[in-house]
Amino acid sequence: MNNNIEQMKWWGWGGEEIEFDMDSKPELWPYVKKVVGIKSEDDVEFTAPLRFEDIEMPEQKLNPQFIESLKTIFNGEQVKTDKKDRLIHSYGKSFRDLWRIRNGIIKAAPDCIIYPETEEEISKVIKIAVEHDVVIIPFGGGSNIAGCLEAEDANGRMIVSMDLKRMNKVLEVDKQSSTARIQAGAMGPFMEKQLNEQGFTLGHFPDSFEYSSFGGWVATRSAGMQSDIYGKIEDMVLSVRMVTPSGTIVTRTVPKSSNGIDVNHVCIGSEGILGVITEAVVRVHPVPDYRASYGYMFPDFESGVKAIYECVRTGSVPVVTRLNDPGKTALSIAFKEKSIPFKEFLSKLAKKYLKSVKKFDLEKVCLMLNVFEGDKKTFFETKKKVNRIYKKYGAVNLGTDPGKAFEKGKYDFPYLRDYVMDRNIMADVSETCTVWSNLLPLYYASFSAIEKAIKESGRAGFVGCHISHTYFTGASLYFTFGCQQNKGEELEQYLRIKKAVEDAFMNNGATLSHHHAVGFEHQPWVEADVSPTGIKAVKALKAGLDPKGIMNPGKIIPSSHTHEKWGLKKEEKVELNNK
Amino acid sequence: MNNNIEQMKWWGWGGEEIEFDMDSKPELWPYVKKVVGIKSEDDVEFTAPLRFEDIEMPEQKLNPQFIESLKTIFNGEQVKTDKKDRLIHSYGKSFRDLWRIRNGIIKAAPDCIIYPETEEEISKVIKIAVEHDVVIIPFGGGSNIAGCLEAEDANGRMIVSMDLKRMNKVLEVDKQSSTARIQAGAMGPFMEKQLNEQGFTLGHFPDSFEYSSFGGWVATRSAGMQSDIYGKIEDMVLSVRMVTPSGTIVTRTVPKSSNGIDVNHVCIGSEGILGVITEAVVRVHPVPDYRASYGYMFPDFESGVKAIYECVRTGSVPVVTRLNDPGKTALSIAFKEKSIPFKEFLSKLAKKYLKSVKKFDLEKVCLMLNVFEGDKKTFFETKKKVNRIYKKYGAVNLGTDPGKAFEKGKYDFPYLRDYVMDRNIMADVSETCTVWSNLLPLYYASFSAIEKAIKESGRAGFVGCHISHTYFTGASLYFTFGCQQNKGEELEQYLRIKKAVEDAFMNNGATLSHHHAVGFEHQPWVEADVSPTGIKAVKALKAGLDPKGIMNPGKIIPSSHTHEKWGLKKEEKVELNNK
């Protein structure tokens, strides 16, 4: 299937050649080398991934009765057991996933991959999976970076990856109500194309948009870059269908209800541990008439935060707000395409500095990117109001060039990771959310914690942060970090840094993730986040809807060995004190 | 306690005198008589409620060990076992509740009422309740109209009503983040007063505001009349604390998260069946500078609906939108205070009719009430935009008089019920929600269903409806209905009419309730609403967090005998087909 090859190319793993064109970004690699302390090209250590042919897969368990029963449901094309399909469905796209696959560490993989085309097929599969005690892991785009796809079963059962990509239709658009019924397997661009053809947009554009699925978004409580106006995916869902081992949950397509505990929220965020989300009805929006992106330069992060705060509080909210801190600003500028005349606007900016009374400290400046959209009136009014507020906080308007660069490259950033991993550099992200009064304290604390952890690993490194999701009561913080890897202890080094940032989130009143899910990788912090009794509630749902535990086992709910499996030593076990 | 007496007065039951001043509304009673077909005052049948002294309470079960243990937790003032406390906590305020209490039908009542002052006390009580197998029913304002407080236990255990009114504080306001931490037992006015003193408002004003509690709102997914701008209560909650028999759920105060299944939503809407919500942190708003209410007259319901739809779609949304259908319009006009010069605006209106090209059909006109609020700019701009849209749909602006009348009497309407019940007239409400494309079809179908059911009971009656909660994708429909009661079969007659309207909601793609909860009274429809597997999920939570079933038993989750207990015959059992 063509989609699979595309997918293998994504972020460059699996022995395919990396497509990321570093030549078009001539200032990027020099910048990266500088921040991670590489003085000359001779000091770069190349660490190529294993070729696909050289990767050894774990032993394949195929339950013969189950396979026999599958044949009564599917045609041959819908069931795969080959190496390539198994490998593709083994992991998501976390740093840990990529590192393992590059190094051929495939301790667990699905034994069989199925491609259902209808909810009825899914129901039948789950029925026979229960009967034969076979594990099912729902698979959308495969872009998860929290270990949601980890194909491991503590009981050693056969594992089936259920790839939903054949269920990719926008089934129905209710234009009057602005709702759309969409199948779980629809990948971002194809879904959006179908909606656009009817004059609508979902308004949900996560960084993974190109390779993530509608069902995956619902299952992980995803957020797109336009969430400030359109909300997170959970704010968009009116109803959902989810096939569980105990039957199919079907809710009604109504804007709001008071019908007891919200059953939609049993499905949303369930990360495949209760069942397979097959479709949902969501709020959509007419494609706006006007859209444009602008860049601004703020003298420092704090003034940028103040400006966003004032925008939110006065209802002057662009559809995208992305404020980079100084580190992320420098990286973003280095990331620019040569085709975009950044030099030009930078010199313009320099002139403005000279004219300006306040002289910007170039080590502290912060790039803000905004997208405005809407009908003519909303578009121009919002832009005007935002400009007025930004000016108050000392921002320089950079015009549409940075915005164009942003729109052009908005999904490109993750590709950089493979490039640097080829050069023995770790790069990862961790993001969270907090209330306004805690935003800057959390930023400083988390930033220091990452810096310290990198330093303790004996390396210089990069730490940057951006704000990309804002609310009336607070905002997200999205950290990007990287450093050279220590030979022979690459994963341990990474885990210590990852632990430092997640610990900082927990110790400073934030959440383990704003939009990346718990999966396996965030489990050490989930009880601290939602309390041990909160996890009892999740366990109760699991016991009630999936009593044999066949649905995506080992996710969300931590076990007594989570910290060890994760790679922590016992004494490093995360404390569960809830603040 | 003064509060209790106040509460007994509310809606007039319990042998206290009705406070509702019909003299101030001289056109109301004649109108009611007309619509229910009473030709002369001589035909009015007076049906006074039993006096408090004459009501017989069911046998009191007091588990001596439990009572002994209670003494180690509480002082004497915090534990009550007297008749008045038991009676007050027996029922909510549904028609069924009022009818039973008026007629002295108290088949079940709590045996003991406790007034905790801290979460620690609540934890201790729940621990000993588990130990001694005693039932706990959380009690806030006692205003629920879905049977959420029904004090019945299938296992005949001792029942404790846990009245939270002593936990009534706004504990903390984070002004920068616009969040407030509020105790569950805070009643509307006192909570709002505390917030106002700090310059904030929750913006949550359900019709029951005067006698309902913050915790009750969270536990029932309540909606206030300003929900169009401020959201339903579930949209406001950032974090929650709920004491369950399996421990205390504590979530983090963050605007949004992706930490698995949303544990906040395990608590929100749980109607006391999993535990006691002790406090929550919610989004609040600075008290707006400007506020004013306006009335408009639309030529018919359909044009009013179209106008609201256009307002919602163009982001021109008043803080309150209440569109009455012709029946509810006539009732609202009859409900006017004599002190408000309605006559004047009606004559003004009449003049405008004459001038107007289109002549209104007075049988079809619909009264719209709007409240505008915000900073100066928002206030005036929204008003202007709304006026422009309303004009397009033929509305006549009635100015601020009807708005003033609305603001003055906005919580008064429920009191009318006792007045008419004293006169052998049933009056009740049922409300729901649907998407825009289904709004008018649902309105016609439900309206006809109620009319038909009243007629089949051999009576003339009143059916009216209003829209009071709007969303981008749809709106609520709130039906009010009433008729003379048939002697000796009052409840059966009522249940048939109630069944007709809820069946109409289910058969026409709507939900069982938009903001009144499931409780006991809506159970026959809950599986049709959220699907049998959805109810399995709720059961799973119940089994996991409350394994002994001590928390508010018999609510939300239907049993095989629900329809009979509810008063339906077997052949009338509600079908569970989900559309």
Side-chain angles (χ1 to χ4, degrees):
Chain A
M1 294 192 56
N2 218 19
N3 264 344
N4 291 351
I5 292 165
E6 279 304 308
Q7 195 166 301
M8 296 202 63
K9 280 186 187 173
W10 189 43
W11 295 358
W13 57 263
E16 304 285 334
E17 221 167 308
I18 291 165
E19 300 259 324
F20 185 65
D21 179 16
M22 195 58 107
D23 289 341
S24 73
K25 301 172 192 300
E27 291 172 40
L28 183 53
W29 177 231
Y31 177 75
V32 171
K33 278 191 292 186
K34 191 183 93 183
V35 291
V36 302
I38 297 174
K39 302 228 163 56
S40 114
E41 198 67 23
D42 298 338
D43 299 333
V44 176
E45 194 183 336
F46 286 90
T47 53
L50 274 194
R51 287 177 55 80
F52 173 68
E53 295 73 20
D54 300 332
I55 291 177
E56 265 183 56
M57 296 301 288
E59 197 196 343
Q60 193 164 22
K61 287 174 198 154
L62 293 174
N63 178 319
Q65 291 103 333
F66 177 77
I67 294 285
E68 209 50 45
S69 299
L70 273 188
K71 286 182 190 159
T72 67
I73 303 170
F74 293 124
N75 67 46
E77 270 295 295
Q78 289 175 274
V79 181
K80 302 280 182 179
T81 53
D82 61 292
K83 180 179 172 183
K84 195 165 188 174
D85 261 287
R86 290 183 69 205
L87 183 61
I88 287 171
H89 293 86
S90 293
Y91 291 137
K93 301 292 182 295
S94 73
F95 170 81
R96 204 169 141 263
D97 291 339
L98 296 205
W99 199 87
R100 289 183 297 176
I101 210 165
R102 288 171 68 92
N103 290 279
I105 303 169
I106 317 290
K107 284 198 185 147
D111 303 292
C112 166
I113 299 86
I114 55 174
Y115 296 89
E117 291 174 356
T118 64
E119 185 182 289
E120 199 190 341
E121 287 176 355
I122 292 172
S123 294
K124 283 181 184 166
V125 170
I126 288 186
K127 195 158 172 262
I128 62 168
V130 169
E131 205 177 314
H132 298 290
D133 208 13
V134 166
V135 163
I136 304 282
I137 303 179
F139 190 98
S143 67
N144 179 266
I145 62 168
C148 281
L149 297 169
E150 197 90 357
E152 232 183 278
D153 178 46
N155 302 318
R157 295 172 288 189
M158 173 182 169
I159 295 174
V160 174
S161 178
M162 185 186 277
D163 190 321
L164 297 159
K165 69 166 56 65
R166 292 189 178 201
M167 292 171 68
N168 61 1
K169 302 280 187 307
V170 172
L171 296 171
E172 210 179 322
V173 176
D174 175 347
K175 293 187 177 190
Q176 193 184 350
S177 308
S178 269
T179 60
R181 188 156 74 91
I182 305 173
Q183 287 186 306
M187 304 283 273
F190 186 56
M191 177 215 66
E192 195 59 19
K193 182 174 169 281
Q194 293 174 75
L195 286 175
N196 288 172
E197 281 166 2
Q198 304 225 41
F200 286 85
T201 174
L202 179 57
H204 188 80
F205 302 99
D207 291 359
S208 62
F209 180 72
E210 292 170 302
Y211 289 93
S212 58
S213 69
F214 177 72
W217 302 337
V218 177
T220 58
R221 291 164 70 192
S222 159
M225 48 185 83
Q226 301 189 173
S227 71
D228 296 14
I229 291 295
Y230 297 116
K232 277 183 80 188
I233 198 79
E234 61 261 42
D235 306 314
M236 303 178 186
V237 173
L238 281 85
S239 66
V240 65
R241 296 182 69 100
M242 181 168 86
V243 181
T244 82
S246 300
T248 301
I249 288 181
V250 184
T251 60
R252 286 181 168 237
T253 301
V254 296
K256 287 280 176 182
S257 178
S258 167
N259 52 12
I261 292 157
D262 189 346
V263 172
N264 281 341
H265 274 283
V266 169
C267 308
I268 297 167
S270 61
E271 300 183 14
I273 74 165
L274 303 178
V276 184
I277 293 168
T278 59
E279 59 178 65
V281 178
V282 282
R283 182 180 65 205
V284 292
H285 296 266
V287 174
D289 299 336
Y290 285 75
R291 182 182 168 99
S293 310
Y294 285 82
Y296 302 86
M297 197 64 85
F298 278 83
D300 50 41
F301 195 55
E302 290 72 12
S303 57
V305 171
K306 279 181 195 159
I308 297 176
Y309 179 76
E310 189 165 327
C311 287
V312 169
R313 287 317 175 89
T314 55
S316 322
V317 184
V319 76
V320 173
T321 291
R322 191 172 283 226
L323 173 67
N324 296 292
D325 78 348
K328 200 72 200 295
T329 296
L331 184 62
S332 292
I333 290 176
F335 197 77
K336 66 188 176 291
E337 294 270 335
K338 60 184 172 191
S339 60
I340 303 286
F342 258 70
K343 275 270 165 4
E344 200 179 298
F345 85 70
L346 277 179
S347 67
K348 227 191 283 175
L349 181 63
K351 276 181 215 153
K352 285 198 180 173
Y353 287 156
L354 295 175
K355 284 184 193 162
S356 174
V357 181
K358 51 184 170 304
K359 293 197 170 59
F360 280 22
D361 176 348
L362 290 179
E363 296 294 308
K364 286 188 180 169
V365 292
C366 287
L367 180 65
M368 173 92 87
L369 286 157
N370 289 116
V371 181
F372 299 93
E373 67 171 42
D375 56 35
K376 192 174 174 180
K377 196 159 181 286
T378 309
F379 174 83
F380 285 104
E381 272 185 10
T382 308
K383 198 152 66 77
K384 199 172 137 191
K385 286 197 277 183
V386 167
N387 279 333
R388 198 180 298 145
I389 292 167
Y390 283 9
K391 207 174 166 186
K392 195 167 128 188
Y393 292 98
V396 177
N397 189 335
L398 306 176
T400 55
D401 279 348
K404 278 179 197 150
F406 168 73
E407 292 272 22
K408 187 165 185 289
K410 65 185 169 187
Y411 305 125
D412 288 352
F413 207 78
Y415 295 92
L416 173 60
R417 193 165 52 159
D418 298 282
Y419 186 89
V420 301
M421 284 180 83
D422 278 347
R423 285 148 184 86
N424 195 38
I425 295 166
M426 173 276 281
D428 199 33
V429 296
S430 255
E431 40 72 58
T432 188
C433 186
T434 193
V435 291
W436 286 114
S437 61
N438 190 42
L439 196 76
L440 285 173
L442 175 69
Y443 168 71
Y444 300 129
S446 307
F447 195 99
S448 303
I450 306 172
E451 266 196 333
K452 186 165 169 266
I454 290 175
K455 205 174 168 191
E456 279 174 1
S457 83
R459 296 292 187 172
F462 170 80
V463 189
C465 180
H466 68 261
I467 293 174
S468 46
H469 305 274
T470 68
Y471 303 94
F472 192 73
T473 55
S476 69
L477 285 179
Y478 192 110
F479 289 92
T480 304
F481 47 89
C483 65
Q484 279 189 292
Q485 298 187 109
N486 294 337
K487 202 78 190 172
E489 48 164 40
E490 292 88 346
L491 265 189
E492 291 78 357
Q493 181 193 12
Y494 162 74
L495 291 176
R496 259 171 242 285
I497 298 165
K498 174 78 180 170
K499 180 177 185 303
V501 56
E502 289 290 330
D503 282 354
F505 294 166
M506 284 300 111
N507 291 328
N508 290 281
T511 184
L512 61 82
S513 167
H514 170 264
H515 57 267
H516 284 158
V518 181
F520 169 72
E521 299 193 12
H522 288 141
Q523 269 176 39
W525 296 275
V526 70
E527 287 199 329
D529 200 339
V530 304
S531 78
T533 310
I535 286 300
K536 276 188 195 169
V538 179
K539 276 186 189 167
L541 286 169
K542 177 83 177 164
L545 294 179
D546 178 25
K548 288 184 84 172
I550 64 156
M551 290 307 310
N552 203 11
K555 310 310 180 318
I556 302 180
I557 302 164
S559 76
S560 56
H561 298 297
T562 289
H563 61 288
E564 288 166 74
K565 280 199 292 175
W566 194 74
L568 291 167
K569 292 189 187 120
K570 263 197 182 133
E571 63 271 25
E572 292 176 318
K573 192 177 165 187
V574 174
E575 282 303 318
L576 302 181
N577 301 328
N578 210 334
K579 293 210 164 195
Chain B
M1 294 193 56
N2 218 19
N3 263 343
N4 291 353
I5 293 166
E6 279 302 309
Q7 194 166 303
M8 295 203 62
K9 280 187 190 170
W10 189 42
W11 295 357
W13 56 263
E16 306 283 336
E17 220 168 306
I18 293 163
E19 298 259 326
F20 186 66
D21 178 16
M22 194 58 105
D23 288 342
S24 74
K25 300 172 191 303
E27 291 172 40
L28 183 53
W29 177 230
Y31 176 75
V32 171
K33 279 191 293 187
K34 191 183 93 183
V35 291
V36 302
I38 297 175
K39 301 229 161 57
S40 116
E41 198 66 23
D42 298 337
D43 299 335
V44 177
E45 193 181 339
F46 286 89
T47 53
L50 274 194
R51 288 177 53 79
F52 173 68
E53 295 72 21
D54 300 332
I55 291 177
E56 265 183 57
M57 297 300 289
E59 195 196 347
Q60 192 164 23
K61 288 175 199 154
L62 294 174
N63 178 318
Q65 290 104 331
F66 177 77
I67 294 285
E68 208 52 45
S69 300
L70 272 189
K71 286 181 189 159
T72 67
I73 303 170
F74 292 124
N75 65 47
E77 270 294 294
Q78 289 176 273
V79 181
K80 302 279 183 182
T81 54
D82 61 291
K83 179 180 173 183
K84 195 164 187 174
D85 262 286
R86 290 183 68 206
L87 183 61
I88 286 170
H89 294 84
S90 293
Y91 291 137
K93 301 290 183 295
S94 73
F95 171 80
R96 207 171 139 262
D97 291 339
L98 297 203
W99 198 88
R100 288 183 298 174
I101 210 164
R102 289 172 66 93
N103 289 281
I105 303 169
I106 317 290
K107 283 198 188 147
D111 303 292
C112 165
I113 298 87
I114 55 173
Y115 296 89
E117 292 175 354
T118 65
E119 185 182 290
E120 201 190 338
E121 286 176 356
I122 292 172
S123 294
K124 284 180 185 168
V125 170
I126 288 187
K127 197 159 170 261
I128 62 167
V130 169
E131 207 177 312
H132 298 291
D133 208 13
V134 166
V135 163
I136 304 281
I137 303 178
F139 190 98
S143 67
N144 179 267
I145 62 168
C148 282
L149 297 169
E150 196 91 356
E152 231 184 281
D153 178 47
N155 301 317
R157 294 172 288 188
M158 174 182 168
I159 295 174
V160 173
S161 177
M162 185 185 277
D163 189 321
L164 296 158
K165 69 165 58 62
R166 292 189 177 201
M167 293 173 69
N168 61 1
K169 302 279 186 307
V170 173
L171 296 171
E172 211 180 321
V173 176
D174 175 346
K175 292 186 178 191
Q176 193 184 348
S177 308
S178 270
T179 60
R181 190 156 73 90
I182 304 174
Q183 287 187 305
M187 303 283 274
F190 185 57
M191 178 216 67
E192 194 61 17
K193 182 175 169 280
Q194 293 174 76
L195 286 174
N196 287 172
E197 281 166 4
Q198 305 225 40
F200 286 86
T201 174
L202 179 58
H204 188 81
F205 302 98
D207 291 358
S208 62
F209 180 71
E210 293 170 302
Y211 290 92
S212 58
S213 71
F214 176 72
W217 301 338
V218 177
T220 57
R221 292 164 71 193
S222 159
M225 48 186 84
Q226 301 188 174
S227 72
D228 295 14
I229 291 295
Y230 297 115
K232 276 184 81 189
I233 197 81
E234 61 260 43
D235 305 314
M236 303 178 186
V237 173
L238 281 85
S239 66
V240 65
R241 296 182 70 98
M242 182 168 85
V243 181
T244 81
S246 300
T248 301
I249 288 180
V250 185
T251 60
R252 287 181 166 237
T253 301
V254 296
K256 286 281 177 182
S257 178
S258 167
N259 53 10
I261 292 156
D262 189 345
V263 172
N264 281 341
H265 274 283
V266 169
C267 307
I268 297 167
S270 60
E271 301 183 13
I273 74 166
L274 303 178
V276 183
I277 293 167
T278 59
E279 59 178 65
V281 178
V282 282
R283 183 179 65 203
V284 292
H285 297 265
V287 174
D289 299 335
Y290 285 75
R291 182 183 170 97
S293 309
Y294 286 82
Y296 301 86
M297 197 64 84
F298 279 82
D300 50 42
F301 194 55
E302 291 71 12
S303 57
V305 170
K306 279 183 195 158
I308 296 177
Y309 178 77
E310 189 166 328
C311 287
V312 168
R313 287 317 174 89
T314 55
S316 324
V317 183
V319 77
V320 174
T321 291
R322 191 173 284 228
L323 174 66
N324 296 292
D325 78 346
K328 200 74 200 294
T329 297
L331 184 61
S332 293
I333 290 175
F335 198 76
K336 67 187 175 293
E337 295 269 334
K338 59 184 171 192
S339 61
I340 302 288
F342 258 71
K343 275 269 165 3
E344 201 179 296
F345 84 70
L346 278 178
S347 66
K348 227 191 279 175
L349 182 64
K351 277 181 215 155
K352 285 197 179 174
Y353 288 156
L354 295 175
K355 283 183 193 163
S356 173
V357 181
K358 51 186 167 303
K359 294 197 172 58
F360 282 21
D361 177 347
L362 290 179
E363 296 294 308
K364 285 188 181 170
V365 293
C366 288
L367 180 65
M368 172 92 86
L369 287 156
N370 289 117
V371 181
F372 300 93
E373 68 171 43
D375 55 34
K376 192 174 172 178
K377 198 161 179 288
T378 309
F379 174 83
F380 284 105
E381 273 185 9
T382 308
K383 198 152 66 76
K384 199 172 137 190
K385 286 199 276 185
V386 168
N387 280 332
R388 198 180 299 144
I389 292 168
Y390 283 8
K391 205 173 166 186
K392 195 166 127 188
Y393 291 98
V396 177
N397 189 335
L398 306 177
T400 54
D401 279 349
K404 279 178 199 153
F406 168 72
E407 293 273 20
K408 187 165 183 289
K410 64 186 168 187
Y411 304 126
D412 288 351
F413 207 76
Y415 295 92
L416 173 60
R417 194 165 47 160
D418 298 282
Y419 186 89
V420 300
M421 285 179 82
D422 279 346
R423 285 149 184 83
N424 195 37
I425 295 166
M426 174 275 282
D428 198 33
V429 296
S430 255
E431 41 72 58
T432 187
C433 186
T434 192
V435 291
W436 285 114
S437 62
N438 190 42
L439 196 76
L440 284 173
L442 175 68
Y443 168 72
Y444 300 129
S446 307
F447 195 100
S448 304
I450 307 172
E451 268 196 332
K452 184 163 170 269
I454 291 175
K455 205 175 168 190
E456 280 174 0
S457 83
R459 296 292 186 172
F462 171 80
V463 188
C465 179
H466 68 261
I467 293 174
S468 46
H469 306 274
T470 67
Y471 303 94
F472 192 72
T473 54
S476 69
L477 286 179
Y478 192 110
F479 289 92
T480 304
F481 47 90
C483 66
Q484 280 190 293
Q485 299 186 110
N486 294 336
K487 201 78 187 172
E489 47 163 42
E490 293 88 346
L491 267 187
E492 290 76 0
Q493 181 193 11
Y494 162 74
L495 291 175
R496 261 170 239 286
I497 298 165
K498 174 78 180 170
K499 179 177 186 303
V501 56
E502 289 290 330
D503 282 353
F505 294 167
M506 286 300 112
N507 291 329
N508 291 281
T511 184
L512 61 83
S513 167
H514 169 265
H515 57 268
H516 284 157
V518 182
F520 168 73
E521 299 193 12
H522 288 141
Q523 269 176 39
W525 297 275
V526 70
E527 288 200 328
D529 200 341
V530 304
S531 78
T533 310
I535 286 300
K536 277 189 194 169
V538 179
K539 276 186 189 167
L541 286 168
K542 178 83 178 164
L545 294 178
D546 179 26
K548 289 184 82 171
I550 64 157
M551 291 307 310
N552 204 11
K555 310 310 180 317
I556 302 181
I557 303 164
S559 76
S560 56
H561 298 297
T562 289
H563 60 289
E564 288 165 74
K565 279 200 290 175
W566 194 74
L568 291 167
K569 294 194 187 115
K570 263 198 182 132
E571 63 272 23
E572 291 175 319
K573 193 176 166 187
V574 174
E575 282 304 316
L576 303 179
N577 301 328
N578 209 334
K579 292 213 165 188

